[in-house]
Amino acid sequence: MGIKIVETSLRDGHQSLFATRMTTEEVVSVAKEIDGAGFHALEVWGGATFDSCLRFLNEDPWERLRKVKEVCPHTKLQMLFRGQNILGYRHYSDDVVDMFVKKSIENGIDIIRVFDALNDLRNLKQAVLSCKKYGGECQIALSYTTSPVHTIEYYVNLAKEIEKLGADSICIKDMAGVLLPQDAYDLVKALKSNTKLPIELHGHCTAGICEMTYFRAIEAGVDIIDCAISPLSNGTAQPSTQAFNSSLRGTKYDPKLDEKALDIASSKLTTIKDKYLKNGLLNPKSLSVNPNILKYQVPGGMLSNLMKQLSDQGAMDKFEDVLKEVPLVRKELGYPPLVTPLSQMVGTQAVLNVITGERYKIVPKEINDYLHGRYGKAPAPITLDETILNRIINNEEVITCRPADLLEPEFESLKEKYKDIAKSDEDVLSLALFEKVATDFLKKKNTIIVNKEDQVIEFNLVIGG
Ligand code: CO
């Protein structure tokens, strides 16, 4: 059997290249062309798309999902799900996670890819249980990073635990694009010989090595690769779907995708991409190879965030110092993989350490919570200077249990809280994740404006009056 391909242009592609701004209309127009193209799945939802719909596009993310499902009756739809954080930025109680999974599957998702920034599987347990309960396919992603503790043995042990947890497949999630070809070969071989689960590889081309890495992974027996249709491939996104479809043609790995469908989708995506190039949301810099990724082991998005924070402070001359500070902070925090939200947290701490001139003089709330165990277990022991650590812990309890065990069920109280704005459980979930933007969106959505003799009267369908 050939290699299976998951098409990512409609989620990660535009998230990586132009800040997740593709509209539902654009997504649907492409999705319908590739429904019959032979993909293993289309990644179309989750990640930052949910937030972006509400915040920037004035769209209902649930409606996007239903519309895509409608035009894709033949292909599985996939989403990216941040474990106990769902698609938001805090830990949610188990019943909210359960309801979100239920509604995602009900509205059209087939495969849920869950990951935790710390690879703390306790943060994924509820999402996995719910996914199985509602008949979804559950994939657990290993957040890939390099450090003295992130050895092949570490990932193999994690994979065995993932298998026990009941996942249907495993993804190696290389969000920074730092997985080297030979390391990928060795990792895939080791995972294949220690678990029965299918292995998928998700990479980014930012450092210019991703195609080579995919090729070695294929030779090692990887089952599925994540690619994006050409106009939305490469740069900070995934390798090109067509490049792999052509390169593997006639071999035992042949993905056998329908080229004609890919051509049509490509031409639509070219028009869409040109629009974002023109309006500036797609920075041509995102399309070229960035050698600093491999040098500093820092994801591309994090590099641009650091630059922005420094230039806001008028401190761009400190950029090199901050880049040297990042690995130090990461080491002291127990080598967390640099993925959302840890990438932002480690980056901000590094910037603060450098610009204040005193390390950990200012500690953001998130880092404080992390050191209290509220994000889960760090991959390696915390090695922060004891005086600094004691000052931050401040004699408070450091938790070692699963963080969500401390949360009371909250869905019913959220439903009560939002009863004036929410018309469905989906609305409640949108509000639970992004209260402010979802409130604004739902108020607008449920309001009809009647223009009568120059008098504008607003009717809010839910709140009344
Ligand atoms: Co990605």
Side-chain angles (χ1 to χ4, degrees), residues 11-12 16 43 80 113 173-175 202-204 236 238:
R11 201 286 297 175
D12 206 347
S16 298
E43 191 198 35
L80 181 66
R113 172 181 292 169
K173 180 178 163 63
D174 178 22
M175 53 279 167
H202 175 89
H204 286 259
T236 46
Q238 278 72 54

PDB file of all heavy atoms in Angstrom, residues 11-12 16 43 80 113 173-175 202-204 236 238, ligand 1:
ATOM      1  N   ARG A  11      -5.852  24.226   6.936  1.00  0.00           N
ATOM      2  CA  ARG A  11      -5.675  24.561   8.360  1.00  0.00           C
ATOM      3  C   ARG A  11      -4.239  25.068   8.572  1.00  0.00           C
ATOM      4  O   ARG A  11      -3.993  26.259   8.607  1.00  0.00           O
ATOM      5  CB  ARG A  11      -5.985  23.342   9.257  1.00  0.00           C
ATOM      6  CG  ARG A  11      -6.316  23.701  10.713  1.00  0.00           C
ATOM      7  CD  ARG A  11      -5.147  24.120  11.558  1.00  0.00           C
ATOM      8  NE  ARG A  11      -4.147  23.083  11.737  1.00  0.00           N
ATOM      9  CZ  ARG A  11      -2.993  23.273  12.371  1.00  0.00           C
ATOM     10  NH1 ARG A  11      -2.708  24.458  12.907  1.00  0.00           N
ATOM     11  NH2 ARG A  11      -2.104  22.310  12.471  1.00  0.00           N
ATOM     12  N   ASP A  12      -3.296  24.132   8.642  1.00  0.00           N
ATOM     13  CA  ASP A  12      -1.940  24.557   8.972  1.00  0.00           C
ATOM     14  C   ASP A  12      -1.326  25.430   7.873  1.00  0.00           C
ATOM     15  O   ASP A  12      -0.570  26.358   8.169  1.00  0.00           O
ATOM     16  CB  ASP A  12      -1.051  23.331   9.224  1.00  0.00           C
ATOM     17  CG  ASP A  12       0.115  23.640  10.141  1.00  0.00           C
ATOM     18  OD1 ASP A  12       0.384  24.829  10.375  1.00  0.00           O
ATOM     19  OD2 ASP A  12       0.764  22.695  10.615  1.00  0.00           O
ATOM     20  N   SER A  16       0.127  28.840   9.005  1.00  0.00           N
ATOM     21  CA  SER A  16       1.570  29.083   8.999  1.00  0.00           C
ATOM     22  C   SER A  16       1.957  30.243   8.095  1.00  0.00           C
ATOM     23  O   SER A  16       2.897  30.975   8.385  1.00  0.00           O
ATOM     24  CB  SER A  16       2.312  27.830   8.527  1.00  0.00           C
ATOM     25  OG  SER A  16       2.090  26.762   9.406  1.00  0.00           O
ATOM     26  N   GLU A  43      -7.100  18.176   6.798  1.00  0.00           N
ATOM     27  CA  GLU A  43      -7.053  18.917   8.057  1.00  0.00           C
ATOM     28  C   GLU A  43      -7.677  20.281   7.789  1.00  0.00           C
ATOM     29  O   GLU A  43      -7.139  21.081   7.015  1.00  0.00           O
ATOM     30  CB  GLU A  43      -5.612  19.061   8.548  1.00  0.00           C
ATOM     31  CG  GLU A  43      -5.563  19.591   9.972  1.00  0.00           C
ATOM     32  CD  GLU A  43      -4.211  20.154  10.378  1.00  0.00           C
ATOM     33  OE1 GLU A  43      -3.527  20.753   9.528  1.00  0.00           O
ATOM     34  OE2 GLU A  43      -3.860  20.020  11.542  1.00  0.00           O
ATOM     35  N   LEU A  80      -7.007  19.759  14.812  1.00  0.00           N
ATOM     36  CA  LEU A  80      -5.924  19.794  15.800  1.00  0.00           C
ATOM     37  C   LEU A  80      -6.487  20.319  17.114  1.00  0.00           C
ATOM     38  O   LEU A  80      -7.165  21.344  17.140  1.00  0.00           O
ATOM     39  CB  LEU A  80      -4.797  20.708  15.308  1.00  0.00           C
ATOM     40  CG  LEU A  80      -3.583  20.807  16.232  1.00  0.00           C
ATOM     41  CD1 LEU A  80      -2.856  19.471  16.318  1.00  0.00           C
ATOM     42  CD2 LEU A  80      -2.605  21.874  15.736  1.00  0.00           C
ATOM     43  N   ARG A 113      -6.656  15.084  16.242  1.00  0.00           N
ATOM     44  CA  ARG A 113      -5.246  14.995  16.625  1.00  0.00           C
ATOM     45  C   ARG A 113      -5.062  15.804  17.900  1.00  0.00           C
ATOM     46  O   ARG A 113      -5.249  17.019  17.892  1.00  0.00           O
ATOM     47  CB  ARG A 113      -4.341  15.546  15.520  1.00  0.00           C
ATOM     48  CG  ARG A 113      -2.876  15.659  15.949  1.00  0.00           C
ATOM     49  CD  ARG A 113      -1.999  16.221  14.860  1.00  0.00           C
ATOM     50  NE  ARG A 113      -1.880  15.297  13.743  1.00  0.00           N
ATOM     51  CZ  ARG A 113      -1.332  15.624  12.568  1.00  0.00           C
ATOM     52  NH1 ARG A 113      -0.870  16.844  12.368  1.00  0.00           N
ATOM     53  NH2 ARG A 113      -1.262  14.742  11.604  1.00  0.00           N
ATOM     54  N   LYS A 173       4.991  15.261  15.779  1.00  0.00           N
ATOM     55  CA  LYS A 173       4.643  16.646  15.456  1.00  0.00           C
ATOM     56  C   LYS A 173       5.890  17.507  15.601  1.00  0.00           C
ATOM     57  O   LYS A 173       6.281  17.896  16.701  1.00  0.00           O
ATOM     58  CB  LYS A 173       3.532  17.118  16.414  1.00  0.00           C
ATOM     59  CG  LYS A 173       3.061  18.535  16.198  1.00  0.00           C
ATOM     60  CD  LYS A 173       1.933  18.834  17.189  1.00  0.00           C
ATOM     61  CE  LYS A 173       1.657  20.309  17.345  1.00  0.00           C
ATOM     62  NZ  LYS A 173       1.199  20.962  16.117  1.00  0.00           N
ATOM     63  N   ASP A 174       6.503  17.818  14.459  1.00  0.00           N
ATOM     64  CA  ASP A 174       7.730  18.626  14.464  1.00  0.00           C
ATOM     65  C   ASP A 174       7.361  20.056  14.089  1.00  0.00           C
ATOM     66  O   ASP A 174       7.577  20.499  12.964  1.00  0.00           O
ATOM     67  CB  ASP A 174       8.728  18.013  13.468  1.00  0.00           C
ATOM     68  CG  ASP A 174      10.012  18.817  13.365  1.00  0.00           C
ATOM     69  OD1 ASP A 174      10.321  19.575  14.302  1.00  0.00           O
ATOM     70  OD2 ASP A 174      10.699  18.684  12.327  1.00  0.00           O
ATOM     71  N   MET A 175       6.804  20.765  15.054  1.00  0.00           N
ATOM     72  CA  MET A 175       6.258  22.099  14.781  1.00  0.00           C
ATOM     73  C   MET A 175       7.335  23.098  14.395  1.00  0.00           C
ATOM     74  O   MET A 175       7.074  24.066  13.693  1.00  0.00           O
ATOM     75  CB  MET A 175       5.447  22.608  15.977  1.00  0.00           C
ATOM     76  CG  MET A 175       6.160  22.587  17.311  1.00  0.00           C
ATOM     77  SD  MET A 175       6.103  20.930  18.036  1.00  0.00           S
ATOM     78  CE  MET A 175       7.317  21.067  19.352  1.00  0.00           C
ATOM     79  N   HIS A 202       4.420  14.995  10.796  1.00  0.00           N
ATOM     80  CA  HIS A 202       3.986  16.369  10.525  1.00  0.00           C
ATOM     81  C   HIS A 202       5.190  17.281  10.697  1.00  0.00           C
ATOM     82  O   HIS A 202       5.729  17.408  11.796  1.00  0.00           O
ATOM     83  CB  HIS A 202       2.880  16.765  11.508  1.00  0.00           C
ATOM     84  CG  HIS A 202       2.451  18.195  11.394  1.00  0.00           C
ATOM     85  ND1 HIS A 202       1.443  18.592  10.538  1.00  0.00           N
ATOM     86  CD2 HIS A 202       2.892  19.326  11.998  1.00  0.00           C
ATOM     87  CE1 HIS A 202       1.283  19.909  10.644  1.00  0.00           C
ATOM     88  NE2 HIS A 202       2.162  20.382  11.513  1.00  0.00           N
ATOM     89  N   GLY A 203       5.628  17.926   9.613  1.00  0.00           N
ATOM     90  CA  GLY A 203       6.786  18.808   9.712  1.00  0.00           C
ATOM     91  C   GLY A 203       6.512  20.173   9.112  1.00  0.00           C
ATOM     92  O   GLY A 203       5.422  20.439   8.587  1.00  0.00           O
ATOM     93  N   HIS A 204       7.490  21.043   9.219  1.00  0.00           N
ATOM     94  CA  HIS A 204       7.408  22.378   8.605  1.00  0.00           C
ATOM     95  C   HIS A 204       8.704  22.619   7.832  1.00  0.00           C
ATOM     96  O   HIS A 204       9.779  22.211   8.266  1.00  0.00           O
ATOM     97  CB  HIS A 204       7.213  23.453   9.685  1.00  0.00           C
ATOM     98  CG  HIS A 204       5.822  23.463  10.255  1.00  0.00           C
ATOM     99  ND1 HIS A 204       4.868  24.374   9.885  1.00  0.00           N
ATOM    100  CD2 HIS A 204       5.217  22.645  11.143  1.00  0.00           C
ATOM    101  CE1 HIS A 204       3.734  24.125  10.532  1.00  0.00           C
ATOM    102  NE2 HIS A 204       3.922  23.075  11.309  1.00  0.00           N
ATOM    103  N   THR A 236       7.111  28.425   5.796  1.00  0.00           N
ATOM    104  CA  THR A 236       6.800  28.005   7.162  1.00  0.00           C
ATOM    105  C   THR A 236       5.742  26.897   7.205  1.00  0.00           C
ATOM    106  O   THR A 236       5.373  26.437   8.278  1.00  0.00           O
ATOM    107  CB  THR A 236       6.289  29.211   7.969  1.00  0.00           C
ATOM    108  OG1 THR A 236       5.332  29.914   7.169  1.00  0.00           O
ATOM    109  CG2 THR A 236       7.420  30.162   8.317  1.00  0.00           C
ATOM    110  N   GLN A 238       3.903  23.127   5.257  1.00  0.00           N
ATOM    111  CA  GLN A 238       4.310  21.746   4.985  1.00  0.00           C
ATOM    112  C   GLN A 238       4.867  21.591   3.558  1.00  0.00           C
ATOM    113  O   GLN A 238       4.671  22.461   2.719  1.00  0.00           O
ATOM    114  CB  GLN A 238       3.096  20.810   5.136  1.00  0.00           C
ATOM    115  CG  GLN A 238       2.784  20.416   6.573  1.00  0.00           C
ATOM    116  CD  GLN A 238       2.191  21.559   7.365  1.00  0.00           C
ATOM    117  OE1 GLN A 238       1.204  22.155   6.959  1.00  0.00           O
ATOM    118  NE2 GLN A 238       2.811  21.893   8.479  1.00  0.00           N
TER     119      GLN A 238
HETATM  120 CO    CO B   1       2.071  22.410  12.136  1.00  0.00          CO
END
